[in-house]
Amino acid sequence: MSYSHIQVQSTGAVGAIVTGIDLATFTDEAFAELQEAFAEHSVLFFRDQVLTPDQHLQFAERWGEINVNRFFAAVENYPSIAEVKKEKEQKFNIGGGWHTDHLYDQIPAMGSILYALEIPPVGGDTLFASTCAAFDTLSDGLKETLLGMRAVHSSRHTFGANSKRPAEFEDRFSNEDLATQDAIHPVIITHPLSGRKSLYVNPGFTLRFDGWTDEESQPLLQFLYQHIGRPEHAYRFQWQKGSMAFWDNRATWHWAVNDYHGHTRRMHRITLEGVPVAA
Ligand code: SIN
């Protein structure tokens, strides 16, 4: 793909750095190229953006309807912006392990737009992995097997009343009574924008393969998790104040690295509604 209104530099198997654009003011032509780049690279990274919460919302609304997260604490006066924050005295962070957001919903969210407001002097990176590249690098035999399978996902063990969340998460999450979602999706989905096949399971929310016991499912799930997270499928993004990452949940995993104890990291996250996923 060639771009004439923005510059797009691939970051490997997943992601691209986009430059030459101010996300507070851009043309329809530049937006059309952003859409192309998003379908091609699955995560778009931007630097040095100066956005108010309203401008962040306006950017998100160009892409579709906003999904108001029912579990995360919201930014004051902005119920549709989730605050992803770890204070300097806190030990645990949000998203500190490989996962894909909203897999437990019947119609999973398309993706999220994360904007950095306060960044530790060192650390606090986010890893991304391509679940499409991970599908491509499986053997034909395993691809064939997985194409006929479905998996069961849930929000209960992470956000529900019986989840084993640290006490310091109490002010960052709420509505545990709403963590009642279970969903069954194909293990391999066809990505709605790119048409690529994507491995649609993750350690955060997947419970088992549909029709298999937990015990039977774990060895193959663990193999797939280890495979998706391989370094050649991944990219590590180093944040600066004013950076933004916009990722596609149907084509990626992400992991917020928790290596900056004693410092605050504060981000605003807007999540976008998706479409039904299919094999
Ligand atoms: C998340 O999992 O949404 C948080 C990602 C991050 O803070 O880098």
Side-chain angles (χ1 to χ4, degrees):
M1 169 75 197
S2 67
Y3 300 93
S4 50
H5 297 87
I6 55 176
Q7 287 83 54
V8 178
Q9 176 71 50
S10 164
T11 49
V14 65
I17 310 251
V18 180
T19 50
I21 188 163
D22 174 355
L23 297 180
T25 55
F26 55 88
T27 60
D28 289 345
E29 290 79 8
F31 181 61
E33 291 189 4
L34 281 182
Q35 288 177 302
E36 293 281 345
F38 186 64
E40 186 177 351
H41 297 285
S42 310
V43 191
L44 301 182
F45 303 109
F46 306 89
R47 296 278 186 207
D48 303 321
Q49 301 293 323
V50 182
L51 294 179
T52 63
D54 286 312
Q55 288 168 324
H56 188 180
L57 278 168
Q58 280 154 19
F59 176 67
E61 282 162 354
R62 292 286 292 264
W63 295 84
E65 201 183 324
I66 291 172
N67 171 304
V68 179
N69 190 290
R70 50 204 179 278
F71 305 124
F72 280 47
V75 172
E76 199 179 354
N77 300 324
Y78 289 92
S80 48
I81 306 183
E83 183 154 69
V84 177
K85 183 168 70 170
K86 182 183 166 216
E87 310 265 22
K88 60 179 179 225
E89 62 281 1
Q90 293 179 320
K91 273 210 197 106
F92 299 94
N93 72 338
I94 291 172
W98 281 126
H99 66 285
T100 311
D101 303 327
H102 289 255
L103 201 75
Y104 44 79
D105 284 331
Q106 300 296 328
I107 302 183
M110 162 203 184
S112 286
I113 306 174
L114 189 68
Y115 179 58
L117 294 157
E118 200 173 339
I119 292 299
V122 178
D125 301 348
T126 306
L127 307 177
F128 291 90
S130 169
T131 51
C132 295
F135 173 80
D136 293 345
T137 52
L138 289 175
S139 68
D140 289 345
L142 187 49
K143 281 180 186 161
E144 200 57 45
T145 302
L146 295 173
L147 279 166
M149 292 171 57
R150 301 189 306 164
V152 183
H153 317 279
S154 182
S155 63
R156 296 167 200 268
H157 59 286
T158 306
F159 298 116
N162 295 327
S163 68
K164 296 189 177 57
R165 275 181 282 144
E168 66 178 43
F169 270 6
E170 284 324 302
D171 64 336
R172 286 186 270 169
F173 290 108
S174 56
N175 292 331
E176 57 189 23
D177 50 316
L178 298 183
T180 53
Q181 299 76 27
D182 293 318
I184 298 181
H185 299 300
V187 172
I188 307 298
I189 59 166
T190 301
H191 192 274
L193 299 178
S194 68
R196 290 179 75 186
K197 298 284 186 211
S198 175
L199 259 170
Y200 204 55
V201 289
N202 76 66
F205 300 114
T206 303
L207 298 180
R208 72 186 82 84
F209 295 115
D210 187 29
W212 296 31
T213 65
D214 288 6
E215 217 178 1
E216 288 166 340
S217 302
Q218 277 310 311
L220 181 51
L221 282 173
Q222 292 304 326
F223 170 80
L224 294 174
Y225 297 158
Q226 178 273 335
H227 175 77
I228 296 170
R230 289 170 67 110
E232 61 269 37
H233 302 144
Y235 176 69
R236 184 175 184 129
F237 183 63
Q238 293 180 317
W239 295 89
Q240 297 159 356
K241 185 172 189 280
S243 300
M244 182 178 270
F246 175 22
W247 67 81
D248 188 322
N249 286 324
R250 293 88 45 102
T252 62
W253 278 1
H254 58 279
W255 177 334
V257 180
N258 187 12
D259 59 352
Y260 53 95
H261 302 305
H263 299 280
T264 297
R265 180 179 183 272
R266 188 166 62 91
M267 328 284 272
H268 283 181
R269 194 182 95 170
I270 300 179
T271 297
L272 292 163
E273 294 287 7
V275 294
V277 290

